[in-house]
């Protein structure tokens, strides 16, 4: 592939980074510069996790201060520069992993190079994309280049995404929940959301070998028998806890997927390749965990609610379950397709029993986390129907204890009819209750809703006044005509 010519955005990206390193002011200004420096931008994947944490903190602070208005902030050049800088940085980290020079395209260049990519001219998050590796695919593929990364999308989702503001990726499907996840999905050896053609040979090569037949399934560290260690995030790390966790895990690898482990020497023709591609493509369009549950996990970590019950059992369970969630988040497949060994599943069940213990004692955070697994069909209930009903009841019980997180989540499941009969009025009621008990996002949504209601009421009053005025004018006209006739 011939060397790519530098674009205006390439010079801008280099200038931003050089100015940041030299502690010079970036043209136009940038918000949260001090906080960015505290993130230690050392071009590592861990730094992207720190940035995601900062973005979540910024989101929470904006909501509390009543400044969480996406359109208003995007007009402010300092906020736009902040997001663009983070996009440049994420592209740089990703390209470094591919040992490639990042090459940035604006919308004008993107339309020329990838004419089949549907770009919206007024969408800030589609404003630019980085090419982070050599791409031998034709640029006219249905979803554009496999190596094009729209880095502004996960930043926007992290700052402004919620159930009423979904983000859809320009290349199809939903947006990753943060820069760390978005970049991790595109690392060498990992199945990317758009790299379907390259994924098929990887699967075939792993069938019948001594390795797992799931090439995208990392090995979560095992818990040795009678160990006093617990699984904690981030993945691939083990920390010692003073509280033992009984886990009989003794294997060192995941069990192969049933549909692949039984295969010997596969013969893949064009038709089967196309079928496999379409199946992989359909899976890749959605993140492993629905956004409403991802948001719930964030709130459980970030919104503190005083618990009357002992919190130790809940914390013990979370140490194990967080490890599973971090592993699942890295996968380019639905949760149901992520395989675990029987020993890992036993460890997860033990953690769920710990959650139930804490929930039975009155811990609302445990109720919500247990509800999440039941609603996802991964809980302790024997079947999906019973699990959905049980999950909804746990949410209701937590909401009745004035837990604002539970009240906001209950409003979501009423709005969507998940585990309960869809009921918009009940959804509005619990949204209002969440706002009343200090849930900042709910308060912001209620405020917007009330403003809309006031505008509608004002419009109706004005329309009513106009009608009355028209009737009055008609009456005056009739009286005038009668007077003229009488005279």
């Amino acid at each position: 592939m011939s060397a790519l010519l530098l674009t205006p955005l390439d010079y801008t990206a280099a200038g931003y980074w050089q100015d940041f390193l030299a502690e010079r002011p970036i043209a136009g200004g940038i918000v949260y510069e001090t906080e960015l420096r505290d993130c230690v931008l050392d071009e590592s994947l861990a730094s992207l996790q720190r940035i995601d944490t900062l973005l979540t903190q910024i989101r929470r602070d904006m909501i509390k201060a009543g400044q969480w208005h996406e359109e208003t902030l995007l007009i402010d050049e300092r906020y736009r520069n902040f997001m663009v800088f983070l996009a440049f940085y994420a592209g740089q980290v990703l390209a470094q992993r591919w040992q490639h020079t990042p090459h940035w395209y604006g919308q004008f260049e993107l339309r020329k190079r990838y004419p089949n990519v549907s770009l919206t001219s007024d969408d800030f998050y589609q404003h630019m994309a980085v090419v982070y590796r050599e791409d031998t695919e034709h640029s006219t593929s249905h979803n554009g280049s496999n190596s094009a990364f729209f880095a502004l999308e996960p930043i926007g989702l992290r700052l402004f995404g919620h159930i009423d503001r979904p983000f859809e990726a320009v290349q199809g499907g939903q947006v990753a929940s943060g820069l760390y996840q978005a970049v991790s999905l595109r690392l060498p050896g990992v199945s990317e959301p758009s790299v379907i053609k390259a994924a098929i040979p990887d699967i075939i090569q792993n069938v019948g070998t001594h390795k797992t037949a799931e090439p995208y399934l990392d090995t979560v560290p095992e818990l040795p028998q009678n160990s006093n260690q617990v699984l904690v995030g981030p993945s691939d790390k083990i920390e010692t806890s003073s509280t033992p966790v009984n886990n009989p895990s003794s294997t060192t690898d995941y069990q192969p997927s049933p549909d692949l482990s039984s295969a010997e020497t596969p013969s893949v023709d064009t038709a089967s390749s196309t079928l496999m591609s379409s199946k992989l493509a359909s899976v890749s369009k959605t993140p492993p965990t629905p956004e409403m549950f991802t948001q719930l996990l964030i709130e459980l970590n970030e919104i503190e609610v005083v618990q009357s019950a002992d919190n130790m059992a809940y914390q013990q369970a979370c140490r194990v379950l967080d490890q599973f969630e971090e592993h699942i988040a890295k996968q380019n497949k639905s949760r149901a397709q992520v395989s675990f060994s029987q020993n890992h599943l036993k460890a997860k069940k033990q953690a769920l029993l710990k959650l139930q213990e804490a929930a039975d004692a009155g811990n609302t955070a445990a109720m919500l986390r247990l509800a999440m697994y039941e609603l996802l069909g991964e809980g302790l209930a024997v079947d999906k129907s019973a699990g959905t009903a049980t999950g909804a009841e746990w949410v209701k019980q937590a909401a009745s204890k004035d837990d604002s997180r539970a009240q906001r989540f209950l409003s979501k499941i009423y709005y969507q009819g998940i585990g309960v009969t869809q009921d918009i009025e009940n959804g509005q009621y619990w949204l209002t209750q969440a706002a009343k008990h200090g849930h900042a996002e709910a308060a912001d949504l209620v405020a917007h809703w009330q403003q809309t209601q006031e505008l509608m009421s004002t419009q109706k009053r004005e329309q009513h006044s106009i009608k009355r005025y028209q009737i009055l004018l008609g009456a005056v006209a009739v009286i005038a005509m009668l007077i003229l006739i009488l005279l």
Side-chain angles (χ1 to χ4, degrees), residues 12 15-16 19 24-30 77-78 80-82:
T12 304
Y16 269 34
D19 287 342
R24 292 191 297 263
I26 291 175
I30 182 172
E77 185 178 8
R78 299 172 306 143
R80 291 201 313 274
N81 287 343
F82 171 71

Side-chain angles (χ1 to χ4, degrees), residues 186 204 353 410:
R186 291 168 171 81
I204 295 171
L353 289 171
L410 185 55

Side-chain angles (χ1 to χ4, degrees), residues 272-284:
S272 61
S273 295
T274 304
L275 178 61
M276 190 179 296
S277 296
S278 63
K279 287 182 177 179
L280 286 170
S282 64
V283 170
S284 68

